[in-house]
Amino acid sequence: MSDLTATTDIDSRLEGHRVELTGYCYRMLGSAFEAEDAVQDTLVRAWRNFEKFEGRSSLRSWLYRIATNVCLDMLKAGSKRARPVDLTGPTPLARAALNPLPENTWLEPMPDGRILPTVADPAEAAVARESVRLAFVAALQHLPPKQRAVLILREVLAWKASEVAELLDTSVASVNSALQRARATLTEQEGKTADTANPLDEEQRKLLERYVAAFEGYDMAALTALLHEDAVMTMPPFDLWLQGHDDITGFMLSIGAGCAGSRLVPTSANGTPAFAHYKPNPEGPGFVPWAVQVIDISEGAITGMHCFLDTPRWFPLFGLPDHLDGDAAV
C-alpha cells in the first residue's frame, strides 16, 4: 500500500468516528464549539500517533481515551456551563431587563446531525437523543469531570465497567462508585423530561404546527393555549428567564414586540424540535436571523422556549441561510 493510500485510509477511519466523538465531547463540555475543537484535537493526536496504536484495544476505544483526556484537560479550569434557569429564579415581567453574561457562561445548542450518529436500533437512537437534551447536558455540568465521563460512558454509550476502568486507568470498584454518585446528583438536578424530536407523533407535530402559526401570527391568545402554565422562556446570552404564559406573552408584546411578523424555519437541536427564528429586516425586504429556538414539549404542551440569540455563531453552525426573502407582513 502506498503512503498516500495508507494516509487516506487512516483519515477515513478516524473521520468515521467524528460524529459520535463530537456527541461525547459535547456532553462533557456543554459547548458546541469547544466540543468540535476537542474532537479535532483528538483526531490530530490520533493521526500523529497512529503508528503507536498497536490494536490492543479497538480503534474506537483508543479514540475515546484520547477524547476523554482532552476533555478532562479542558475542564481543569473548573468552569461549567449553565442555562439561565440554573443561575437565578424567574424574573417577573415588571422587572424584566436584558443583562448579557459572557459567552462561556452558557450551555450551547448543538445541531442533531453533528452529535447523533445514524443507528439502526430505535432504542439506542432514543437514548442518544435523550442524552443530548439541554436539561440533561446541563445536569451533567454539575458532576465532577471524571464522574461525568463515567456516567456518559456507562449510561449513554453502554460501556462495561471494566472497559471504563481501563480507559480511565482506575478500578472497576472506583467506576461503580463514581457512577452511583453521579446518578444521585443527576436525579437531584434533572427536571421534567421533554419529548425528543424524532420521531414525533401526530399530536406533537400538530402542536408544533399550531405553535408556528401562533408565533408567526403573533397571536398571544393562541400561543397561551399551547404553553404549559409553568412554561419557561430563556434568551442566552441574557440571564433573564420568564416563567408562565402570562409573563412570556407579556414580554413578547412589550420588550420583544420587534419579533412581530417573524418567520420560523424548522430544524432540530439537542434531540428536540427547534426553529430558526427570522425577524423582519428593519433595513429592507425579507427577514434576518434573530435566534435558534429549542423547544421543549411535554404532556401535550410546550414547556420551554429556549432562544439562543448569538446568530452569527449559531446560524452557520446549523447551516442556516443568513437571509430569507419575502414580505415581512403577516
Side-chain angles (χ1 to χ4, degrees), residues 147-166:
Q147 280 188 30
R148 205 178 303 178
V150 167
L151 186 130
I152 297 167
L153 290 165
R154 291 282 285 119
E155 300 278 90
V156 177
L157 301 176
W159 286 38
K160 298 176 182 177
S162 57
E163 294 171 328
V164 177
E166 182 179 354

Side-chain angles (χ1 to χ4, degrees), residues 58-76:
S58 69
L59 176 61
R60 181 172 183 253
S61 297
W62 185 57
L63 289 172
Y64 270 95
R65 177 189 287 270
I66 298 171
T68 300
N69 289 332
V70 170
C71 289
L72 293 177
D73 285 344
M74 293 174 72
L75 290 166
K76 282 180 180 176

Side-chain angles (χ1 to χ4, degrees), residues 32-51:
F33 297 101
E34 287 182 1
E36 296 204 327
D37 287 346
V39 171
Q40 192 60 31
D41 190 1
T42 296
L43 297 181
V44 168
R45 292 187 191 189
W47 194 91
R48 288 175 175 167
N49 292 283
F50 200 82
E51 290 182 356

Side-chain angles (χ1 to χ4, degrees), residues 236-271:
F238 301 116
D239 59 359
L240 165 76
W241 66 279
L242 302 157
Q243 186 167 40
H245 42 61
D246 289 344
D247 277 0
I248 291 172
T249 56
F251 178 90
M252 292 176 66
L253 290 171
S254 55
I255 297 173
C259 290
S262 291
R263 293 289 179 266
L264 299 181
V265 176
T267 183
S268 61
N270 295 84

Side-chain angles (χ1 to χ4, degrees), residues 1 34 63 96 98 107 118-120 127 129 138 173 194 259 279-280 285 328:
M1 182 182 294
E34 287 182 1
L63 289 172
L98 300 178
L107 181 69
T118 302
V119 294
V127 169
R129 290 195 301 272
C259 290
K279 281 177 63 173

